[in-house]
Amino acid sequence: MTEGMTTEFKREYTDDIKKTIIAFANTRGGEVLIGVEDDGTVIGIPDVDGTMLKVTNAMRDSIKPDITMFLLCEKREMNGKDVVTLDNVIEGKSSYYAIYDAVLAEAKGLKIIPEKCSFVTVSTGEISEYFGISWSADGKTPEYLEALKKDSNIGANVPSILKITVQDCFGNERVIEMNMTVVPNVAK
């Protein structure tokens, strides 16, 4: 077992774990194992519950937007010792494809609510006249942003927000927001 682009070992909980989670969320995703030396030696964690509480509180209180719904923090036994894992850190996506698809939502126990999703222009707070969310044939999966007015072009950058509403297994709804900017088409 070795560290790599999507695996990080930590001897114990420290605040720099937040930076690792943010880095994973902005790139390929990954896993953090707490209670493992940099060389892969499993040393274990004496207070698993306390460590899990510290980790989840730090993620919820320090990382915005809230990433906790996309993390799995759990106890795992390795070589007869208890470690804490932060697994399934979401993989980052480019802003153009910044739509959380149904596969991701279902894998995390979330359901996308299409009728409560939108692409909003910041200055007006209204649904964008330039772009909309294109949905899969079954209407359940957002696939990409599509131009609504193919024959017109905006004259300046338009700050916008992509809003995807998801529901957890308890019926609680959350809105995942991603700030984006629609830019003029300069191709001639």
Side-chain angles (χ1 to χ4, degrees), residues 74-120:
E74 63 183 359
K75 175 178 119 176
R76 185 185 301 169
E77 186 176 312
M78 298 176 71
N79 299 341
K81 298 176 181 160
D82 291 333
V83 300
V84 172
T85 65
L86 285 165
D87 203 358
N88 295 328
V89 177
I90 60 170
E91 179 177 327
K93 295 182 181 232
S94 68
S95 60
Y96 185 74
Y97 293 104
I99 294 181
Y100 295 88
D101 59 37
V103 174
L104 174 63
E106 288 171 359
K108 305 300 180 197
L110 304 172
K111 175 186 171 193
I112 294 174
I113 306 171
E115 60 274 11
K116 292 187 177 181
C117 298
S118 59
F119 192 68
V120 177

Side-chain angles (χ1 to χ4, degrees), residues 9-29:
F9 301 146
K10 299 291 183 186
R11 176 181 184 78
E12 59 191 10
Y13 172 80
T14 60
D15 273 346
D16 74 329
I17 287 174
K18 293 181 281 193
K19 292 178 183 177
T20 302
I21 294 299
I22 292 168
F24 282 165
N26 286 326
T27 56
R28 295 182 179 173

Side-chain angles (χ1 to χ4, degrees), residues 1 13 24 37 49 55 64 70 72-73 79 86 107 113 127 129 133 136 140-141 145 157 168 176 188:
M1 181 167 61
Y13 172 80
F24 282 165
E37 296 278 5
D49 291 335
V55 168
K64 303 297 179 214
F70 300 107
L72 178 60
C73 182
N79 299 341
L86 285 165
I113 306 171
I127 293 177
E129 63 181 290
I133 302 169
S136 62
K140 295 180 181 178
T141 309
L145 297 176
N157 292 352
D168 65 21
I176 301 168
K188 297 187 181 203

